[in-house]
Amino acid sequence: MGHVNERAQEAFKTLLSRYSEDTYFYLARNYLGKLQSPFHKPQLTAKLCQLFSQESMVQKTLSMLDSFDQVILSLLATFGSLTVEQITSLLKGTFSYGNLLRRVGNLQERMILLSDAGRLVFNPLLEDQLLQYCSLRPLCGEEEHHCVEAPYCSTEFLRGFFSLVAKEGKCIYHEGISQHFPTYERDRLKEMYQALGEYLTEMGVLVRDARRCTLDWQKAEALLSLSDYQLLCLLLSRNLEGTAPLEFANALLSTLQTLGGCDTTALKLLIKGFCLRYQVAYTATLLNELSTWGVLTLDENWQVSAISGIQERTALLIDSDQTISYQGNCPAGDILYRFAYLEVLDHQRTYHITKESMLGAFDSSLDYPTIKEYLETNSARGMN
C-alpha cells in the first residue's frame, strides 16, 4: 500500500509541475491560503500532496460530491481521460453546455480532476476512492436490466451457415433458410445471413465464382475456433476505422453484457464514448450492426442478448435415418458440419448425413476413416 501511495504522490506532483504559473498558484491559494513569498513550488506541492493524502481530506472531498459530479466522474471512469470539449459533447443531450463547463471547471478547482496535456484525469491521490464512487448507472439510468435469452450470430449459427453453403453451393438468403433457424426472426435472419456472406467473402472464407460458392475450410476452422464473444467482437469491428477496433468492440460488448439493457440515448453515449477511448471513427451504422448480429433487440428499450459461455456439447445421438442431434456447443475442430447438412438449429441441433454431404466431405479432403472415428468417439452408442 505504501508503494501505491508513493506512486500516486509522484503522479500528483508530476501533473502539478506541468501547470502554468497562474493556474498553479490559483489552485495552491484555494487550499493553502495566502502564500508567503518567495514561493518555493516544490515545498507548496509537497504540502498539497500531504493535504490530499489525509483520510479526513479525502472523506470531506467525497462527501461534497453530488449526482451531477457523479455523472461527469463516471464518464471518465468508463471512457478514460477526456478533454473538456469531449465531455460537453458526450453529455450535451442531458445537460446544458454552460452548466457542464461550470461543473467541470469546479471539479478542477477542487482538484478532483487534474489536467494532463489538456485531458482531464482523476487526482491520483483520490483515484481509488473516486472509482468506487463511479458506476454505469449515472450514465445509463437507474433501472435494472437483465440480459435476455435471444438468438445471435454464434459459432453454432456459423457452423450451420457453412453447412448450408456447402449443401447449396451458394450464399443467398431464401425463404427456405428460415426453416433451418426457427428461433431467429425472419427479417433479422435475412440481414444476418446477407451480412455474414458479404463479410466472409471479403475475408476469403467464401470463394465465389460464376457457377457456385465454395468454402476455404482452413479459414472456416479458424473462425470456428473463436468463442461466441470473440466472434461477435470480430463481426462488430469489421467496418470500423481507427487505432483499436477490436478493443472497442470488446469494451462495448462487455459493458452491454453488464448493463443487460438501456435506452437509445445511453446506447449512443456508450458507442461515442468508447469510440473516443479507443480512437475509432464514430459511425451511426454501429447501432444497426449491434442489431444485425443479434447483440441487441428493441422492445421499448434495447435488450441485450446473453452471450453464452462454453456450454459443452452433449454426446451425438445418431438415428437409423442418419440424422444426428445434440445440445450445447461443438468444440473447436469439430467436423460434423463438414460431412452432414444442417436440418435445424434450435435448442437441439440436428444434422443429416446424406450421399451428397459425404461426397462433399471427400472433395474437401475429409476421408472416411476420419469420419468413422469421429462418430464412434463422439456418439452416445456408436454408429448404427
Side-chain angles (χ1 to χ4, degrees):
M1 182 61 110
H3 291 299
V4 173
N5 191 47
E6 287 177 13
R7 286 198 297 270
Q9 290 180 3
E10 290 304 314
F12 177 79
K13 293 175 182 177
T14 298
L15 289 171
L16 286 189
S17 71
R18 297 171 182 164
Y19 275 52
S20 67
E21 295 287 297
D22 289 344
T23 303
Y24 177 87
F25 286 116
Y26 173 76
L27 294 173
R29 289 190 188 96
N30 281 347
Y31 281 97
L32 302 178
K34 186 177 180 180
L35 304 176
Q36 300 294 326
S37 63
F39 304 120
H40 185 58
K41 284 182 67 176
Q43 188 176 42
L44 294 176
T45 300
K47 288 183 178 180
L48 287 169
C49 189
Q50 183 180 26
L51 180 65
F52 279 101
S53 297
Q54 295 174 4
E55 182 64 23
S56 59
M57 181 62 182
V58 172
Q59 294 306 318
K60 181 179 179 181
T61 302
L62 294 176
S63 68
M64 296 177 68
L65 295 173
D66 63 17
S67 59
F68 195 175
D69 296 325
Q70 190 178 31
V71 171
I72 296 171
L73 296 174
S74 295
L75 198 73
L76 271 72
T78 304
F79 305 127
S81 62
L82 297 167
T83 66
V84 175
E85 292 75 17
Q86 288 171 337
I87 292 174
T88 55
S89 176
L90 289 172
L91 296 177
K92 64 183 178 183
T94 308
F95 304 98
S96 72
Y97 181 74
N99 285 340
L100 280 168
L101 281 182
R102 285 190 289 273
R103 186 53 64 98
V104 172
N106 180 260
L107 286 168
Q108 292 181 83
E109 289 178 359
R110 287 186 276 167
M111 296 183 74
I112 293 169
L113 297 180
L114 299 178
S115 178
D116 184 8
R119 303 178 72 85
L120 297 181
V121 298
F122 290 150
N123 181 332
L125 297 172
L126 304 173
E127 185 170 7
D128 289 345
Q129 292 82 356
L130 289 174
L131 287 174
Q132 294 177 22
Y133 178 74
C134 299
S135 72
L136 290 170
R137 287 196 170 188
L139 304 177
C140 301
E142 296 295 328
E143 186 177 352
E144 188 173 352
H145 299 274
H146 299 283
C147 291
V148 297
E149 294 296 329
Y152 59 89
C153 190
S154 62
T155 52
E156 283 298 308
F157 179 89
L158 195 58
R159 287 178 190 278
F161 176 90
F162 287 149
S163 174
L164 292 178
V165 171
K167 177 183 180 181
E168 298 183 351
K170 58 184 178 181
C171 180
I172 300 174
Y173 177 85
H174 53 80
E175 291 304 319
I177 297 295
S178 298
Q179 299 174 9
H180 299 289
F181 303 98
T183 59
Y184 289 73
E185 188 269 327
R186 178 188 171 280
D187 290 339
R188 173 74 60 80
L189 176 61
K190 183 177 181 180
E191 285 183 16
M192 188 185 300
Y193 208 87
Q194 292 174 339
L196 197 55
E198 292 171 5
Y199 183 41
L200 296 180
T201 300
E202 292 173 10
M203 293 180 67
V205 180
L206 300 183
V207 182
R208 302 175 190 248
D209 59 29
R211 293 186 304 162
R212 63 185 283 116
C213 179
T214 57
L215 286 157
D216 183 319
W217 294 104
Q218 187 173 2
K219 291 181 179 179
E221 287 293 330
L223 277 179
L224 292 175
S225 69
L226 302 176
S227 67
D228 285 0
Y229 191 93
Q230 291 169 330
L231 176 62
L232 286 170
C233 285
L234 180 65
L235 295 172
L236 289 171
S237 65
R238 68 186 184 115
N239 290 324
L240 299 180
E241 296 180 0
T243 303
L246 272 175
E247 289 83 350
F248 162 86
N250 177 57
L252 180 60
L253 190 57
S254 174
T255 302
L256 289 173
Q257 289 291 297
T258 299
L259 282 175
C262 60
D263 61 22
T264 300
T265 300
L267 179 58
K268 289 182 177 179
L269 174 63
L270 290 175
I271 293 173
K272 291 177 180 178
F274 284 126
C275 279
L276 290 173
R277 178 167 188 166
Y278 295 102
Q279 301 178 52
V280 169
Y282 174 77
T283 169
T285 61
L286 269 169
L287 202 154
N288 292 332
E289 293 276 319
L290 289 164
S291 177
T292 295
W293 302 120
V295 176
L296 297 176
T297 53
L298 186 58
D299 182 14
E300 294 185 3
N301 287 323
W302 291 101
Q303 295 183 321
V304 182
S305 299
I307 308 304
S308 63
I310 299 175
Q311 184 182 358
E312 189 174 344
R313 187 205 63 200
T314 59
L316 303 178
L317 296 176
I318 306 176
D319 291 333
S320 57
D321 63 353
Q322 301 306 306
T323 296
I324 300 177
S325 59
Y326 64 91
Q327 296 179 9
N329 299 326
C330 289
D334 193 276
I335 62 173
L336 176 62
Y337 76 104
R338 292 187 59 183
F339 65 84
Y341 291 147
L342 176 70
E343 290 288 323
V344 177
L345 185 74
D346 204 338
H347 179 65
Q348 181 148 302
R349 295 76 155 94
T350 305
Y351 285 75
H352 187 209
I353 299 177
T354 66
K355 177 182 177 181
E356 290 75 16
S357 68
M358 291 294 290
L359 290 174
F362 298 154
D363 287 342
S364 69
S365 302
L366 199 62
D367 58 36
Y368 178 75
T370 300
I371 295 172
K372 183 174 183 293
E373 181 183 1
Y374 167 85
L375 292 172
E376 290 176 341
T377 303
N378 290 279
S379 65
R381 299 184 300 276
M383 293 179 65
N384 290 330

